[in-house]
C-alpha cells in the first residue's frame, strides 16, 4: 500500500471540501431544481434541509473519515465494524454513478464556452443545445472533461487537488459576484429576484410532498454527502482540526454560492421574457435559457464566456473530489501508482457515461436515481451507523479540536439519531412514490 498523503494546510482541506460542494450542484442543479419545484418555495425547503439534515450529516461523515484515516470502505473495518463495509461501498458506488453523467454535463460546459466565444448558439439556442448535448460530439467532450479531472487527481492530494482548489474556489466566488452585479442591471432582474426569493405559502403547502424529496436530495448533492467525498477528504485531516467550525464554513459558503447562482440565472431568464414554469427546468434552465439571455444583451459573448467559465471551474472542483473517492479506496488497497489508478478508473467512468452522452433521456434517468434513491439511502445508512452504532464514540471524536463546543456533541448526536434519520426516511418514501407509484411516472423524459 502506498504511503498515504495529507493536506498541506487546514485551509487546503476547507477549500477542497468547498470546491467539492460548489460544483454543478449549485450552478446547474440548483437553478433548474428551483425552476421545476416552485421557485422560492423550493429555496425555503432547501435551506431547511441544509441546516437540519445536511450539516449534521456532514459532521457524521467527518467523524468516520478523521477517526480512521482510511478510505470510506475500509473505515468501517478500522472502527471494528467490518460488517458495515457495505455502507462505504454504497457511498463509493454512488459517487462513481454520479460522476459518470457529471462528466457529460462538464463536456457540455466546455462546448458552451466555445459557443459563447464564437456566438454559435446566438441564432437558435435550443437547436444548439440539441446538437451539443448528445451524440458523438458529446462523447468527445465528455472524454476531454474527464481527461482534465484524471490529470489533476493523478498529481495527488497536495500537488493536485489542494493546489487546484486553492485557485478554483476564490475564482468562482469573485466571478459569480461580478456576474451578479452585472445581472442586477438587466431589465428582468426584479422579476427574477421575486421568483427566486419570494416564496408563496400556498405553493409550499400544496406542493410540499413533491418539493421536499428534491430539496433534501439537493442538499445532499450540493454538500457532497452520500458519495464518500467528505469521509475521504476528512481522512486526510489532522486530529486537532475543529470539524464543527470547518463544516459550518463549508455549509455557509456552499449555500451562499447557490444563492448567488440563482441571483445570476433567474434575472437572465426573465430578461428574455421566459415564463418560468415546471416545464422550464431541466438542463435548459442553465444552458438553453441562459444562452438565449446572453444572445440578447450587449457584450453577450464576453459574459457568456465568463459565466460558463465559472461553471466549468465549479464542475472540475467537484469532479476531482468524486474521482478521488474511488482512487483513495484503490490507493489504500493495491500497490499501483496513483496515476495509473486514476486513468483506469477514468476509463470505467467513460464507459458508464456513454449512455448519458448519447441520449439525454439516459442522463435524466441516471440523475433521478441518484437524487431519489442512491443519495438518501447512502446518507441514511451512514448517519444511522454513526448515530446508533458509534454513538458516544462519535461525540468524542467530534469534540477533538472543538472542546469549546462541548455541549454541542450530545445535541448533534440526538439530532442525527432522530431528526436526520426521520427526515431522510420521509424523503426516501416520497421520492420512491414520485418515481414508481405516481400515475404516468416517466423516467425517460429528456432534458
Amino acid at each position: 500500500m502506498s504511503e498515504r498523503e495529507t493536506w498541506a494546510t487546514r485551509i487546503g482541506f476547507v477549500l477542497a471540501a468547498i470546491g467539492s460542494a460548489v460544483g454543478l450542484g449549485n450552478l446547474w442543479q440548483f437553478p433548474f431544481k428551483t425552476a421545476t419545484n416552485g421557485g422560492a418555495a423550493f429555496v425555503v425547503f432547501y435551506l431547511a434541509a441544509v441546516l437540519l439534515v445536511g450539516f449534521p450529516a456532514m459532521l457524521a461523515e467527518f467523524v468516520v473519515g478523521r477517526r480512521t484515516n482510511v478510505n470510506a470502505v475500509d473505515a468501517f473495518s478500522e472502527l471494528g465494524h467490518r460488517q458495515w463495509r457495505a455502507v462505504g461501498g454504497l457511498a463509493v458506488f454512488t459517487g462513481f454513478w454520479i460522476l459518470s453523467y457529471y462528466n457529460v454535463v462538464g463536456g457540455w460546459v466546455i462546448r458552451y464556452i466555445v459557443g459563447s466565444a464564437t456566438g454559435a448558439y446566438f441564432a437558435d439556442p435550443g437547436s444548439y443545445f440539441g446538437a451539443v448535448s448528445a451524440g458523438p460530439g458529446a462523447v468527445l467532450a465528455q472524454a476531454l472533461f474527464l481527461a482534465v479531472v484524471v490529470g489533476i487527481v493523478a498529481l495527488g492530494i497536495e500537488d493536485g487537488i489542494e493546489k487546484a482548489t486553492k485557485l478554483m474556489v476564490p475564482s468562482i466566488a469573485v466571478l459569480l459576484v461580478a456576474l451578479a452585479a452585472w445581472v442586477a442591471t438587466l431589465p428582468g432582474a426584479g422579476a427574477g429576484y421575486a421568483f427566486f426569493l419570494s416564496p408563496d405559502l400556498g405553493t409550499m403547502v400544496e406542493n410540499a410532498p413533491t418539493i421536499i424529496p428534491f430539496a433534501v436530495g439537493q442538499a445532499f448533492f450540493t454538500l457532497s454527502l452520500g458519495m464518500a467525498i467528505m469521509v475521504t477528504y476528512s481522512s486526510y485531516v489532522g486530529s486537532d482540526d475543529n470539524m464543527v467550525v470547518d463544516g459550518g464554513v463549508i455549509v455557509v459558503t456552499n449555500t451562499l454560492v447557490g444563492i448567488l447562482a440563482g441571483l445570476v440565472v433567474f434575472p437572465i431568464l426573465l430578461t428574455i421574457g421566459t415564463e418560468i414554469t415546471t416545464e422550464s427546468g431541466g438542463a435548459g434552465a442553465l444552458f438553453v435559457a441562459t444562452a438565449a439571455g446572453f444572445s440578447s444583451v450587449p457584450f453577450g459573448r464576453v459574459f457568456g464566456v465568463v459565466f460558463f467559465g465559472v461553471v466549468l471551474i465549479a464542475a472540475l472542483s467537484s469532479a476531482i473530489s468524486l474521482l478521488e473517492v474511488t482512487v483513495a479506496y484503490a490507493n489504500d488497497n493495491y500497490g499501483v501508482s496513483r496515476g495509473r489508478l486514476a486513468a483506469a478508473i477514468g476509463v470505467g467512468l467513460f464507459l458508464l457515461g456513454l449512455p448519458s452522452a448519447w441520449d439525454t433521456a439516459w442522463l435524466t434517468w441516471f440523475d433521478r436515481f441518484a437524487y431519489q434513491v442512491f443519495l438518501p439511502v447512502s446518507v441514511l445508512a451512514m448517519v444511522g451507523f454513526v448515530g446508533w452504532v458509534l454513538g458516544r464514540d462519535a461525540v468524542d471524536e467530534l469534540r477533538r479540536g472543538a472542546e469549546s463546543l462541548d455541549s454541542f456533541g450530545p445535541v448533534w448526536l440526538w439530532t442525527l439519531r432522530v431528526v436526520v434519520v426521520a427526515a431522510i426516511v420521509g424523503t426516501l418514501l416520497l421520492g420512491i412514490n414520485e418515481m414508481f407509484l405516481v400515475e404516468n411516472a416517466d423516467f425517460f423524459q429528456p432534458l
Side-chain angles (χ1 to χ4, degrees):
M1 184 174 68
S2 303
E3 182 180 352
R4 213 159 195 277
E5 297 182 83
T6 60
W7 302 107
T9 62
R10 181 179 177 184
I11 191 64
F13 159 67
V14 172
L15 288 176
I18 291 173
S20 173
V22 177
L24 288 179
N26 275 320
L27 297 176
W28 174 54
Q29 293 275 9
F30 185 60
F32 89 67
K33 286 292 190 292
T34 300
T36 55
N37 290 283
F42 175 82
V43 175
V44 172
F45 283 118
Y46 164 72
L47 293 176
V50 167
L51 178 63
L52 299 176
V53 182
F55 180 53
M58 176 180 287
L59 296 181
E61 295 200 8
F62 282 172
V63 163
V64 172
R66 187 177 67 173
R67 191 171 183 85
T68 59
N69 297 125
V70 294
N71 63 83
V73 178
D74 295 329
F76 293 91
S77 296
E78 290 290 319
L79 291 168
H81 297 279
R82 183 178 176 83
Q83 68 274 22
W84 285 80
R85 282 166 55 91
V87 174
L90 174 61
V92 172
F93 172 78
T94 299
F96 190 86
W97 175 277
I98 289 172
L99 185 54
S100 71
Y101 68 85
Y102 198 102
N103 292 322
V104 177
V105 181
W108 297 351
V109 178
I110 293 174
R111 300 191 74 178
Y112 265 83
I113 293 175
V114 177
S116 297
T118 62
Y121 58 67
F122 282 12
D124 190 344
S127 296
Y128 184 81
F129 177 75
V132 304
S133 62
V139 172
L140 291 176
Q142 168 206 13
L144 175 59
F145 180 84
L146 181 56
V148 176
V149 174
V150 167
I152 293 172
V153 173
L155 292 173
I157 297 300
E158 183 177 343
D159 292 332
I161 297 174
E162 185 168 349
K163 287 183 178 179
T165 51
K166 280 183 176 179
L167 175 63
M168 289 176 177
V169 173
S171 299
I172 293 169
V174 170
L175 292 173
L176 266 182
V177 168
L179 281 169
W182 166 69
V183 164
T185 67
L186 299 179
Y193 296 150
F195 175 81
F196 183 53
L197 299 175
S198 300
D200 178 79
L201 184 60
T203 300
M204 291 178 62
V205 174
E206 180 182 355
N207 299 319
T210 301
I211 297 174
I212 288 174
F214 287 104
V216 176
Q218 177 64 25
F220 294 157
F221 191 100
T222 192
L223 293 175
S224 297
L225 302 177
M227 316 174 208
I229 292 172
M230 293 306 174
V231 175
T232 302
Y233 273 12
S234 59
S235 73
Y236 301 119
V237 169
S239 61
D240 58 344
D241 285 1
N242 189 323
M243 295 282 94
V244 178
V245 171
D246 289 352
V249 171
I250 293 164
V251 168
V252 170
T253 304
N254 172 72
T255 303
L256 289 175
V257 170
I259 298 299
L260 264 177
L263 294 176
V264 170
V265 171
F266 291 110
I268 291 175
L269 300 187
L270 271 297
T271 294
I272 58 172
T274 299
E275 182 181 356
I276 305 177
T277 67
T278 55
E279 286 75 35
S280 64
L286 178 65
F287 291 94
V288 179
T290 53
F294 292 128
S295 69
S296 64
V297 298
F299 306 106
R301 294 190 184 192
V302 174
F303 287 111
V305 169
V306 173
F307 176 77
F308 288 110
V310 174
V311 177
L312 178 62
I313 296 170
L316 287 170
S317 67
S318 287
I320 59 179
S321 64
L322 285 164
L323 180 56
E324 175 60 24
V325 166
T326 312
V327 170
Y329 170 73
N331 195 48
D332 284 349
N333 287 277
Y334 306 106
V336 181
S337 69
R338 170 176 279 270
R340 291 183 179 180
L341 288 173
I345 294 167
V347 171
L349 286 164
F350 175 77
L351 295 175
L352 182 60
L354 282 177
S356 297
W358 201 257
D359 188 338
T360 58
W362 277 106
L363 191 147
T364 302
W365 186 82
F366 270 70
D367 184 58
R368 292 188 68 180
F369 249 98
Y371 257 77
Q372 294 175 262
V373 180
F374 291 146
L375 283 176
V377 170
S378 180
V379 178
L380 177 62
M382 181 65 72
V383 300
F385 171 80
V386 173
W388 291 103
V389 179
L390 281 187
R392 298 298 304 179
D393 289 340
V395 174
D396 292 340
E397 178 61 35
L398 191 67
R399 283 173 172 162
R400 293 168 63 192
E403 291 79 6
S404 61
L405 301 172
D406 189 64
S407 61
F408 177 79
V411 174
W412 164 74
L413 181 63
W414 281 104
T415 300
L416 204 66
R417 287 174 168 177
V418 179
V419 177
V420 176
V421 168
I424 298 173
V425 170
T427 297
L428 183 60
L429 293 176
L430 289 171
I432 291 174
N433 178 71
E434 178 74 15
M435 289 183 67
F436 298 108
L437 302 180
V438 173
E439 186 177 0
N440 298 323
D442 184 3
F443 291 135
F444 290 92
Q445 291 181 346
L447 294 174

